[in-house]
């Protein structure tokens, strides 16, 4: 079997500095890699102007190869083009974009630096799997350097419609770069469609049979692979979490009160302001919930030095202060808002304790918290997932209580419904969601993507008949 080289900006090591604030990429790819093994290449998470040598470290069956970033690279590539242009754009917030040519060239420069390091380790039989919006041009750079290995790309975020994509200068280069991969994976049909329409209408390319796209002499295959979680293993992890001190203390502090839980990086895509407003309305309009519920929101700071994130943190502090000031009593706190992360096992046990799981992003590629919340529940007494229809997970988890995250009153009503839902309905909804998650777990995700990538790159006759779109 060929060796797998996974490339992503953020590399998750089990005891990494970023612990507790990892996003879906680190969690999902880690789970997939733990089984398959291979090389995981990416940023060390450190900014250092002097030491640019790649570090190699083997843990279990994964060899981590990481590089530091210079301050200017961090500013232009990570803070700049990746997180102040592509992230807001892909999450439907073009008004938050801060575009500059300098950041774009820093972004390409870091992709070239990654390519240079990768060229030192790629063997002819390796399979290369590149992840996320930080590294869109990397496949093209590797191809131009002569790499002929199978190269796949998976986008963990949403992909915008052409109308939105057009708001970024040089948008055609984003589409064109993606066409250099053998296989491009998206989270949902809508993302896939956005890309296909971009290639057809934005570039003048065409859609061929078998999910293939062509533009000039470039061909690629684009499909949907919804990322998932370790469905089998997570209940055992939640069991272990129940023995932690943090879990015990939370359990004891609740008494008979019902717990609502939200776990999100502190990011404007997560819809926290409107979620807090919905909770405020729930308490304001329904006296019966006063003193009977506790909402725990765990939100580790993320990308704190990007301005939009700093502004958001202040806004959420105000909303939290308003809720506490309005409803708290000397012996009851309606909201516990924490800007730090916890170990995964502790979080999973907390999910299990929560009567309601709140996942209400304004836009999200998938959202693995939604899936983890479901998997962590007790089969005989499961909690209720309140899920935004704008999270990728809503395509599969349609038995959740689905909400529009812009509709604050609607969300307040959904919270009341979730808190009062009878046991038989909770069990029915949970079983329905579990049947999806048992089939579509993280290993199925990895196998179907890599299986397709290897199949597509076997020498074969390519059917290039154009389909009418
Ligand atoms: C999302 C992105 C990932 C990213 C993660 C955490 O899940 O899709 O690529 O790694 O957020 O963000 P950070 O900027 O800390 O890596």
């Amino acid at each position: 079997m060929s060796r797998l080289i996974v490339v992503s900006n953020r590399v998750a090591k089990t005891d990494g500095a970023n612990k507790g604030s990892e996003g879906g990429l680190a969690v999902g790819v880690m789970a997939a890699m733990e089984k398959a093994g291979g090389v995981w290449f990416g940023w060390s998470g450190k900014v250092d102007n002097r030491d640019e040598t790649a570090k190699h470290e083997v843990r279990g069956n994964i060899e981590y190869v990481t590089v530091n970033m210079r301050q200017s690279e961090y500013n232009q590539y990570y803070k700049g083009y990746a997180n102040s242009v592509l992230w807001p754009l892909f999450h439907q917030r073009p008004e938050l974009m801060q575009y500059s040519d300098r950041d774009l060239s820093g972004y390409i420069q870091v992709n070239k630096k990654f390519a240079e390091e990768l060229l030192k380790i790629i063997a002819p039989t390796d399979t290369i799997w590149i992840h996320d919006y930080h590294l869109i041009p990397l496949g093209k750079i590797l191809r131009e350097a002569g790499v002929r290995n199978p190269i796949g790309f998976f986008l963990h975020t949403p992909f915008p419609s052409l109308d939105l994509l057009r708001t970024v200068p040089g948008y055609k280069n984003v589409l064109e770069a993606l066409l250099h991969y053998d296989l491009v994976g998206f989270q949902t049909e809508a993302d896939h469609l956005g890309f296909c329409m971009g290639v057809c209408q934005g570039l003048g390319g065409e859609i061929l049979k078998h999910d293939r796209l062509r533009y000039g002499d470039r061909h690629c295959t684009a499909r949907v692979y919804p990322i998932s979680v370790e469905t089998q293993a997570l209940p055992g992890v939640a069991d272990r979490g129940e023995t932690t001190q943090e879990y015990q203390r939370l359990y004891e502090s609740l008494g008979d009160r019902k717990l609502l839980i939200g776990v999100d990086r502190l990011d404007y895509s997560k819809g926290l302001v409107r979620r807090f407003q919905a909770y405020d309305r729930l308490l304001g309009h329904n006296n019966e919930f006063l003193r009977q519920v506790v909402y725990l929101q765990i939100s580790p700071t993320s990308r704190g030095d990007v301005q939009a994130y700093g502004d958001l943190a202040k806004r959420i502090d105000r909303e939290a202060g308003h809720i506490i000031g309005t409803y708290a009593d000397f012996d009851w706190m309606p909201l516990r808002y924490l800007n730090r992360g916890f170990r995964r096992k502790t979080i999973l046990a907390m999910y299990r304790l929560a009567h309601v799981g709140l996942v209400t992003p304004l836009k999200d590629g998938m959202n693995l918290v939604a899936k983890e919340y479901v998997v962590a529940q007790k089969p005989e007494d499961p909690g209720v997932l309140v899920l935004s229809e704008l999270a990728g997970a809503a395509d599969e988890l349609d038995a959740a209580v689905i909400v529009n995250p812009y509709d604050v009153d609607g969300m307040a009503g959904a919270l009341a419904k979730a808190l009062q839902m009878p046991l038989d309905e909770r069990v029915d909804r949970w079983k329905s969601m579990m049947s999806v998650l048992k089939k579509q777990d993280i290993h199925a995700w990895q196998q179907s993507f890599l299986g397709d990538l290897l199949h597509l790159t076997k020498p074969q006759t390519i059917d290039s008949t154009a389909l009418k779109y």
Side-chain angles (χ1 to χ4, degrees):
M1 243 192 64
S2 80
R3 178 177 70 157
L4 176 63
I5 300 184
V6 164
V7 189
S8 60
N9 175 65
R10 183 70 67 186
V11 166
K13 297 192 198 166
T14 34
D15 61 353
N18 202 36
K19 186 150 195 46
S21 61
E22 297 97 339
L25 182 150
V27 171
V29 174
M30 184 67 185
M33 278 215 79
E34 263 172 345
K35 206 158 176 176
V39 175
W40 193 346
F41 179 94
W43 177 36
S44 64
K46 292 189 196 120
V47 177
D48 188 328
N49 285 343
R50 284 157 308 169
D51 183 5
E52 293 198 73
T53 50
K55 304 271 175 310
H56 293 246
E57 190 185 342
V58 178
R59 292 193 196 179
N61 57 356
I62 304 176
E63 180 185 357
Y64 293 94
V65 184
T66 54
V67 285
N68 295 340
M69 231 176 268
R70 303 174 70 82
Q71 187 66 52
S72 58
E73 293 171 337
Y74 173 83
N75 290 346
Q76 293 161 15
Y77 151 86
Y78 177 79
K79 259 177 69 177
Y81 193 74
N83 285 315
S84 300
V85 175
L86 293 180
W87 180 270
L89 174 69
F90 286 9
H91 289 83
Q92 300 185 344
R93 298 296 297 275
E95 81 283 6
L96 296 178
M97 278 198 304
Q98 303 277 348
Y99 175 83
S100 78
D101 287 348
R102 200 177 56 152
D103 287 352
L104 174 59
S105 73
Y107 174 79
I108 293 174
Q109 207 41 53
V110 171
N111 272 267
K112 286 188 177 157
K113 165 172 165 167
F114 272 34
E116 264 169 40
E117 291 299 332
L118 280 164
L119 288 169
K120 296 179 191 162
I121 57 173
I122 294 171
T125 53
D126 289 340
T127 299
I128 303 164
W129 192 4
I130 295 169
H131 292 259
D132 233 358
Y133 58 99
H134 313 84
L135 303 175
I136 290 172
L138 183 54
K140 179 176 178 182
I141 298 169
L142 289 173
R143 287 284 181 242
E144 286 169 355
V147 173
R148 293 284 160 264
N149 304 51
I151 312 182
F153 178 86
F154 184 79
L155 184 68
H156 290 255
T157 66
F159 192 83
S161 68
L162 181 59
D163 266 357
L164 205 54
L165 187 64
R166 271 194 234 268
T167 58
V168 68
Y171 74 92
K172 288 187 181 177
N173 296 331
V174 173
L175 294 163
E176 202 258 331
L178 286 168
L179 287 162
H180 284 75
Y181 291 98
D182 295 304
L183 177 62
V184 180
F186 295 96
Q187 301 275 29
T188 68
E189 281 300 346
D191 304 321
H192 178 222
L193 190 64
F195 177 61
C196 293
M197 297 310 276
V199 170
C200 288
Q201 293 181 346
L203 291 182
E206 50 189 344
I207 299 183
L208 313 178
K209 282 184 188 164
H210 310 304
D211 309 313
R212 291 178 63 76
L213 295 159
R214 176 172 59 201
Y215 168 59
D217 60 352
R218 302 279 358 134
H219 284 91
C220 86
T221 299
R223 291 188 182 143
V224 178
Y225 301 88
I227 195 170
S228 194
V229 296
E230 294 162 284
T231 308
Q232 260 201 329
L234 290 186
V237 181
D239 288 347
R240 293 205 295 282
E242 287 183 354
T243 65
T244 60
Q245 258 205 20
E246 292 103 328
Y247 171 85
Q248 293 292 338
R249 282 168 52 197
L250 173 63
Y251 177 79
E252 280 156 28
S253 71
L254 286 175
D256 290 337
R257 293 178 177 123
K258 285 184 178 168
L259 177 68
L260 300 95
I261 196 167
V263 178
D264 313 77
R265 284 182 307 102
L266 198 48
D267 192 299
Y268 49 79
S269 64
K270 303 294 181 185
L272 291 167
V273 171
R274 286 182 175 81
R275 191 187 302 172
F276 278 23
Q277 290 170 344
Y279 184 60
D280 176 19
R281 269 178 225 183
L282 173 83
L283 298 180
H285 297 169
N286 306 273
N287 283 341
E288 71 268 30
F289 293 123
L290 294 176
R291 310 181 64 84
Q292 302 308 314
V293 295
V294 172
Y295 169 21
L296 173 61
Q297 176 63 45
I298 296 177
S299 284
T301 300
S302 173
R303 307 173 195 162
D305 49 0
V306 175
Q307 195 192 330
Y309 288 75
D311 296 347
L312 171 82
K314 286 189 206 129
R315 177 78 203 278
I316 296 181
D317 285 352
R318 280 208 303 278
E319 295 291 338
H322 165 74
I323 292 174
I324 292 168
T326 309
Y327 304 103
D329 215 334
F330 60 85
D331 58 351
W332 172 57
M333 266 299 173
L335 172 66
R336 302 179 190 176
Y337 172 50
L338 283 69
N339 286 143
R340 65 191 163 93
F342 289 88
R343 287 172 297 179
R344 255 164 85 64
K345 61 180 178 181
T346 311
I347 292 280
L348 284 157
M350 288 176 176
Y351 289 154
R352 184 180 276 175
L353 191 57
H355 200 87
V356 181
L358 288 171
V359 181
T360 60
L362 303 177
K363 190 71 193 161
D364 216 332
M366 174 54 60
N367 198 302
L368 293 183
V369 169
K371 293 186 171 181
E372 288 180 347
Y373 176 79
V374 172
V375 172
Q377 296 308 303
K378 291 192 286 285
E380 67 287 359
D381 186 18
V384 181
L385 175 66
V386 174
L387 178 61
S388 162
E389 60 185 291
L390 301 176
D395 282 13
E396 294 163 280
L397 303 182
D398 54 357
V401 174
I402 301 290
V403 294
N404 178 328
Y406 288 93
D407 175 8
V408 174
D409 284 332
M411 280 198 287
L415 294 186
K417 173 176 167 174
L419 285 163
Q420 290 161 334
M421 191 177 284
L423 179 62
D424 53 351
E425 182 177 349
R426 283 190 275 132
V427 171
D428 285 351
R429 285 175 181 265
W430 179 77
K431 279 188 178 157
S432 162
M433 292 189 279
M434 278 305 283
S435 70
V436 176
L437 296 175
K438 277 182 189 154
K439 273 186 254 145
Q440 294 297 332
D441 70 356
I442 187 71
H443 305 296
W445 172 74
Q446 185 214 38
Q447 280 156 17
S448 62
F449 186 95
L450 290 177
D452 283 1
L453 177 58
L454 291 179
H455 177 73
L456 287 164
T457 48
K458 267 199 296 206
Q460 61 193 330
T461 323
I462 291 165
D463 185 345
S464 54
T465 320
L467 283 184
K468 285 259 173 289
Y469 202 75

